[in-house]
Amino acid sequence: MTNTFPDISLSTERLVLRPLEDDDVSALTEMMNDEQVVAWTSVSQPFTEDAARTWITEYAPTERTSGRGLDLAVTEFLTQRLVGVIQLGKADWHVRATEMSYIIAPWARGEGYASEAALATAHWLLRDQKFERLELRTAADNTASQQVAQKIGCISEGVLRGACIARTRTEDGGWADLRTDYIVWSLLPEDLDGVGEESADSSGFMYSDWN
């Protein structure tokens, strides 16, 4: 029998994390075409509404039912506006470990939404779901993503040299691949002690290689 993540929603003081829905297509498309998202992720460009719809209706459900991972839309509690996406991937159910990635829409950056959503997910995963290890990989120059890892209590474990392909603008306005390092971070259940827990509760309810 395949282990799978439950079909859940998580709530914090400001956010609701829930499954991606058809109504998210437009906002998801806009977010994934942002310059910073293009630079630090491997998503196809330009990112079309058809790609967003495929992610929502095919990729995300298959990831969950196959046991490989879980994709959650991050939305504002008051406005229900799409803030970003949290992804758990490469789940190993024997080791009880998985990798977390996150993307935040450009208009929502600087509000602490990434760390709030990531911390809520970490508490749910390591406590409610009894996972033993949460891993993050951030590109060496992606300081914003590294700050999120630090805020939620992750420990930096080392560097994977030359393991990440980011993207940089070319003189003609296009994009070129740029090889860089990955910084590996981990969060274990005991690391959550002393980290300010956002009020997250389950209520029924970085694609891979986000950097």
Side-chain angles (χ1 to χ4, degrees), residues 149-187:
Q150 292 172 331
K151 285 181 180 178
I152 68 172
C154 290
I155 304 300
S156 176
E157 293 184 331
V159 175
L160 298 178
R161 296 183 300 163
C164 173
I165 299 294
R167 285 182 279 209
T168 184
R169 276 292 189 189
T170 59
E171 291 183 0
D172 62 3
W175 292 95
D177 287 348
L178 176 68
R179 183 172 294 276
T180 185
D181 301 335
Y182 264 137
I183 300 176
V184 180
W185 307 78
S186 69
L187 191 68

Side-chain angles (χ1 to χ4, degrees), residues 73-183:
V74 181
T75 64
E76 284 185 323
F77 176 76
L78 292 177
T79 67
Q80 300 183 25
R81 190 176 181 185
L82 184 70
V83 167
V85 177
I86 290 273
Q87 182 188 63
L88 300 176
K90 304 175 183 176
D92 186 324
W93 292 89
H94 177 66
V95 179
R96 304 297 290 185
T98 187
E99 184 176 328
M100 176 190 284
S101 305
Y102 37 78
I103 288 179
I104 298 296
W107 64 267
R109 293 171 191 156
E111 300 294 330
Y113 285 153
S115 54
E116 185 172 332
L119 185 59
T121 305
H123 274 279
W124 171 77
L125 181 78
L126 298 177
R127 291 184 173 170
D128 295 355
Q129 299 300 303
K130 307 302 182 186
F131 266 61
E132 297 294 334
R133 175 181 170 86
L134 180 60
E135 183 173 305
L136 289 77
R137 298 186 180 193
T138 64
D141 294 327
N142 191 348
T143 55
S145 188
Q146 292 162 27
Q147 288 170 357
V148 172
Q150 292 172 331
K151 285 181 180 178
I152 68 172
C154 290
I155 304 300
S156 176
E157 293 184 331
V159 175
L160 298 178
R161 296 183 300 163
C164 173
I165 299 294
R167 285 182 279 209
T168 184
R169 276 292 189 189
T170 59
E171 291 183 0
D172 62 3
W175 292 95
D177 287 348
L178 176 68
R179 183 172 294 276
T180 185
D181 301 335
Y182 264 137
I183 300 176

